[in-house]
Amino acid sequence: MLEDQEQYQKTMFGVLGMRITELTPDRVTATMPVCDATRQYFGVLHGGASVALAETVASVATYAQIDRETHVAVGLEINANHVRGKRDGIVTAIGTPLHKGRTTMVWDIRIVDEQERLICVSRCTVAIVPKDRQRT
């Protein structure tokens, strides 16, 4: 899926240390370290980093299931509730589909710590857009 590893390292995916660890039609998991790049000023995991991880999981999950020659997957809407802080270690995002349609997919993403305690819960809607209609 992520064929060009060097190119991905230059994106948010690489800069924040994200790694896809599982990719099936009904489950996608990814990890991200809690480190200087992903912490906010007060030393805990930044909510924006959690949201970036959640949207990455939803987008990758959708992209893996569409015709990549003719379509792209782009985030349309995301929300998140941050329920627990985290200062270090690794977080894991687990994405499962709530809806798989022709033009959109909706994903439930739960971000947990190493003890599987809930850190963040998110829902992300991903649009499936024809490449010839993609805006720049």
Side-chain angles (χ1 to χ4, degrees):
M1 168 90 213
L2 304 177
E3 302 89 14
D4 188 351
Q5 290 296 323
E6 184 177 328
Q7 184 65 25
Y8 282 100
Q9 293 309 309
K10 298 176 185 176
T11 68
M12 183 180 289
F13 180 90
V15 170
L16 297 184
M18 297 178 196
R19 299 287 178 265
I20 302 296
T21 57
E22 178 183 7
L23 180 59
T24 72
D26 292 315
R27 183 178 163 101
V28 177
T29 62
T31 60
M32 182 178 71
V34 180
C35 60
D36 288 344
T38 59
R39 284 188 203 105
Q40 46 103 306
Y41 179 76
F42 300 107
V44 295
L45 179 62
H46 193 293
S50 294
V51 171
L53 178 61
E55 186 166 335
T56 297
V57 165
S59 295
V60 167
T62 301
Y63 189 67
Q65 298 184 59
I66 63 175
D67 182 346
R68 295 185 293 266
E69 294 294 318
T70 60
H71 289 77
V72 294
V74 295
L76 181 63
E77 189 274 339
I78 190 163
N79 68 53
N81 293 98
H82 309 288
V83 297
R84 180 186 307 270
K86 180 134 174 81
R87 292 191 173 277
D88 55 24
I90 301 285
V91 290
T92 300
I94 302 112
T96 55
L98 297 172
H99 164 75
K100 291 184 188 180
R102 184 178 53 80
T103 59
T104 62
M105 291 191 188
V106 180
W107 294 86
D108 175 71
I109 304 100
R110 296 180 183 273
I111 299 175
V112 299
D113 66 10
E114 297 90 342
Q115 289 75 44
E116 298 188 9
R117 293 179 297 197
L118 188 63
I119 302 296
C120 176
V121 62
S122 179
R123 186 185 68 231
C124 184
T125 303
V126 180
I128 302 165
V129 181
K131 281 187 175 181
D132 63 353
R133 291 185 48 206
Q134 183 181 5
R135 296 183 180 147
T136 56

